[in-house]
């Protein structure tokens, strides 16, 4: 069983060498990205929306470059997992991420990998130690 812990800037892929209720996790892969806030990534003028009647126009919603980079980051992690799963590296996995990243990862999981997902945990554990992650995963798998 693999355990994937990720947020928009960091990710860990761990392999469980113990049992489901007494996990012994070892690091397989580490992901990191430098993702400055949107204002530091450059700013375009907001898009203009023209009304269908008359000549009035208004600004449209601005693009959140920071969020876009975070979404791309977690999608890349899922793509790597799909390759690993297709190559037979693991049969099942647990996904741990904060709610926004977890939602983005769920959308990116292909059907073949979806069948291998045995549990999700909507917490940000990327800054925690491996034993803390193991304890949280064991607790999630119990209930």
């Amino acid at each position: 069983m693999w355990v994937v812990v990720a947020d928009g800037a960091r990710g860990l892929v761990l392999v469980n060498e113990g049992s489901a209720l007494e996990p012994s996790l070892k690091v397989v892969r580490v992901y990191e990205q430098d993702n400055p806030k949107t204002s530091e990534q450059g700013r375009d003028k907001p898009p203009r929306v023209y009304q269908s009647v008359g000549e009035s126009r208004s600004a449209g919603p601005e693009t959140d470059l920071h969020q876009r980079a975070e979404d791309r980051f977690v999608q890349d992690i899922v793509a790597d997992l799909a390759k690993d799963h297709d190559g037979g590296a693991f049969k099942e996995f647990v996904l741990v991420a904060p709610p926004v990243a977890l939602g983005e990862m769920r959308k990116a999981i292909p059907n073949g990998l979806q069948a291998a997902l045995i549990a999700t945990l909507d917490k940000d554990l990327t800054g925690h130690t491996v034993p803390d992650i193991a304890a949280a995963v064991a607790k999630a798998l119990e209930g």
Side-chain angles (χ1 to χ4, degrees), residues 42-71:
R43 179 176 285 164
D44 231 358
K45 289 183 180 178
R48 304 309 264 168
V49 177
Y50 295 92
Q51 301 300 322
S52 59
V53 177
E55 299 205 16
S56 61
R57 58 187 175 157
S58 59
E62 289 189 38
T63 303
D64 187 347
L65 300 175
H66 180 81
Q67 185 62 47
R68 219 187 244 179
E70 286 185 355
D71 293 348

Side-chain angles (χ1 to χ4, degrees), residues 93-130:
F93 75 107
V94 175
L95 188 55
V96 182
V100 173
L102 185 59
E104 196 58 40
M105 292 177 97
R106 282 180 177 152
K107 287 192 288 187
I109 293 175
N111 288 338
L113 187 59
Q114 181 68 41
L117 180 61
I118 59 170
T120 58
L121 185 57
D122 61 344
K123 291 187 176 185
D124 186 359
L125 299 179
T126 54
H128 289 71
T129 64
V130 173

Side-chain angles (χ1 to χ4, degrees), residues 23-78:
S24 174
L25 302 178
K26 305 291 181 212
V27 176
V28 173
R29 194 177 303 132
V30 176
Y31 294 91
E32 289 190 39
Q33 89 163 340
D34 181 31
N35 187 10
K37 56 186 176 180
T38 296
S39 62
E40 294 174 5
Q41 292 187 34
R43 179 176 285 164
D44 231 358
K45 289 183 180 178
R48 304 309 264 168
V49 177
Y50 295 92
Q51 301 300 322
S52 59
V53 177
E55 299 205 16
S56 61
R57 58 187 175 157
S58 59
E62 289 189 38
T63 303
D64 187 347
L65 300 175
H66 180 81
Q67 185 62 47
R68 219 187 244 179
E70 286 185 355
D71 293 348
R72 214 173 13 256
F73 179 74
V74 296
Q75 290 166 358
D76 290 345
I77 292 173
V78 169

